[in-house]
Amino acid sequence: MSFEVPDELRYLESHEWTTTDSDPVRIGVSDFAQDELGDVVFVELPEVGDEVTGGEPFGVVESIKAVSDLYAPVSGEVVAVNEELFDRPELVNEDPYGGGWMIEVDPDGGEADGLLDADAYNEQIA
């Protein structure tokens, strides 16, 4: 099975993605992650104004299979939360890189350099 892995994004080994070409950056879970999770039924996210730390949990996603922590690819202040996910968590499955985004963060800087590019992430999930 092949999964969508957009070239312009950077990835954590735990399957979260982040934009790097915008400020704030947008964060979500990869196509591979949503497939592994199965049908997402609940998402718990931080509030605007909360701080997240790169490599540390920032929320939880619950599916019919499991409850999984979400890890922040970068550190910074949460400036937006995709509140649509509270009513429609299935957007994570339907559109993981679009309508299924989770949070936007004003990054502290630098950490995106240590993330996987699309090629390295593709190798990891192969």
Side-chain angles (χ1 to χ4, degrees):
M1 184 168 200
S2 104
F3 297 98
E4 184 181 353
V5 180
D7 286 338
E8 69 275 9
L9 301 176
R10 292 293 174 264
Y11 302 86
L12 268 180
E13 289 180 2
S14 55
H15 310 292
E16 291 80 9
W17 57 262
T18 183
T19 56
T20 56
D21 59 352
S22 60
D23 195 1
V25 297
R26 186 169 272 192
I27 296 169
V29 297
S30 71
D31 188 25
F32 176 84
Q34 70 78 22
D35 185 71
E36 289 287 299
L37 286 164
D39 294 337
V40 174
V41 295
F42 178 76
V43 179
E44 181 181 311
L45 300 171
E47 295 183 9
V48 170
D50 287 355
E51 293 286 328
V52 297
T53 302
E56 297 293 319
F58 72 83
V60 174
V61 62
E62 187 175 329
S63 70
I64 56 173
K65 291 184 187 177
V67 176
S68 302
D69 284 334
L70 297 165
Y71 292 89
V74 297
S75 299
E77 181 182 345
V78 177
V79 295
V81 174
N82 186 355
E83 295 187 6
E84 193 168 2
L85 296 181
F86 301 138
D87 295 326
R88 297 190 54 217
E90 67 273 10
L91 284 171
V92 173
N93 297 112
E94 294 168 4
D95 191 12
Y97 301 113
W101 67 275
M102 296 183 169
I103 60 174
E104 289 184 346
V105 171
D106 184 13
D108 292 345
E111 291 161 309
D113 297 342
L115 300 174
L116 302 174
D117 64 16
D119 290 338
Y121 185 69
N122 265 318
E123 285 178 27
Q124 178 188 313
I125 62 176

